[in-house]
Amino acid sequence: MKIQKNEAGPLGNAGGFTILELIIVIAIISIMVGMTATNLGPWQANMALKSAARDLYSIIQDARLLAVRNNSDAAVVFNAATNQYHLCSAPGADGRWDGANDMNGTGDNTIVRTITLNTPDNKARFGKGKANAPVNGGTMPGDYVEFSGPDNVLVVNSRGLSLSGEGYVYLENRYQDTAYAVGAEASGFVRMWKWQNGAWL
């Protein structure tokens, strides 16, 4: 009986990868994942900011609808210190939207909904990004909320008109480069702007 040898040929055993080849492949994949994660950070922050701006736009519209439906004033109460705002249907027994603890949501306002901007990694928050002026010119408010009648409160009457005049709320991403302005005109018309190329567009 003749026993035949299993020869691998001139390349040797070509049946699998060597440890060195596996290490190189893993290193390349790790580098690619790291580069992708780095590029995704700003994109995710901008998407979160855009979503936050759209949510605020919707809440202001909801305030108008609430006021018309209930035939009474409604308000959006902003608290830049806590990165929150509250949709309110009534000012409570004191008759004030900005009474004791109303800004942080523990006062006597009737709160329909509370929205917190402080998303994971603080991707969206009150701020101006790279904007160097508010929508209507002048000076950017220190807390990034323009409504002042009462302060940091947008009040809408039963016809959907802003009793706080025209004003905007400014939002930025965590990189402080992109910004949106969302607000209402005296007519009640809700607008959203983005800071691009040195102007609100």
Side-chain angles (χ1 to χ4, degrees), residues 77 91 94-103 108-109 149-153:
V77 179
D94 62 3
R96 296 180 47 159
W97 299 104
D98 63 341
N101 298 316
D102 285 336
M103 308 312 279
D108 62 353
N109 286 352
D151 192 34
N152 290 357
V153 180

Side-chain angles (χ1 to χ4, degrees), residues 8-181:
L11 295 178
N13 186 0
F17 295 106
T18 66
I19 295 292
L20 180 60
E21 289 171 329
L22 285 173
I23 290 172
I24 290 172
V25 169
I26 291 170
I28 290 171
I29 291 172
S30 298
I31 290 169
M32 291 174 64
V33 168
M35 290 172 60
T36 303
T38 301
N39 292 334
L40 281 178
W43 179 82
Q44 287 177 328
N46 286 334
M47 290 304 294
L49 174 60
K50 187 175 185 178
S51 176
R54 286 180 172 169
D55 289 346
L56 177 53
Y57 181 94
S58 296
I59 288 292
I60 295 175
Q61 292 283 28
D62 288 349
R64 296 181 67 209
L65 293 172
L66 188 64
V68 171
R69 187 183 67 210
N70 293 344
N71 196 31
S72 62
D73 294 351
V76 183
V77 179
F78 298 93
N79 187 345
T82 61
N83 253 355
Q84 290 183 322
Y85 56 92
H86 314 280
L87 172 61
C88 303
S89 61
D94 62 3
R96 296 180 47 159
W97 299 104
D98 63 341
N101 298 316
D102 285 336
M103 308 312 279
N104 62 27
T106 60
D108 62 353
N109 286 352
T110 303
I111 297 176
V112 177
R113 199 169 340 156
T114 295
I115 292 83
T116 302
L117 292 175
N118 193 14
T119 55
D121 299 324
N122 209 19
K123 290 186 182 82
R125 60 191 180 194
F126 292 97
K128 64 182 181 66
K130 289 188 175 179
N132 54 24
V135 171
N136 295 317
T139 305
M140 183 71 70
D143 57 6
Y144 311 110
V145 180
E146 286 183 332
F147 299 111
S148 58
D151 192 34
N152 290 357
V153 180
L154 165 61
V155 183
V156 182
N157 68 14
S158 60
R159 293 185 296 156
L161 306 178
S162 170
L163 297 177
S164 304
E166 184 172 355
Y168 289 89
V169 176
Y170 300 89
L171 305 176
E172 67 181 8
N173 65 9
R174 67 175 172 164
Y175 298 101
Q176 297 179 301
D177 56 359
T178 306
Y180 283 86

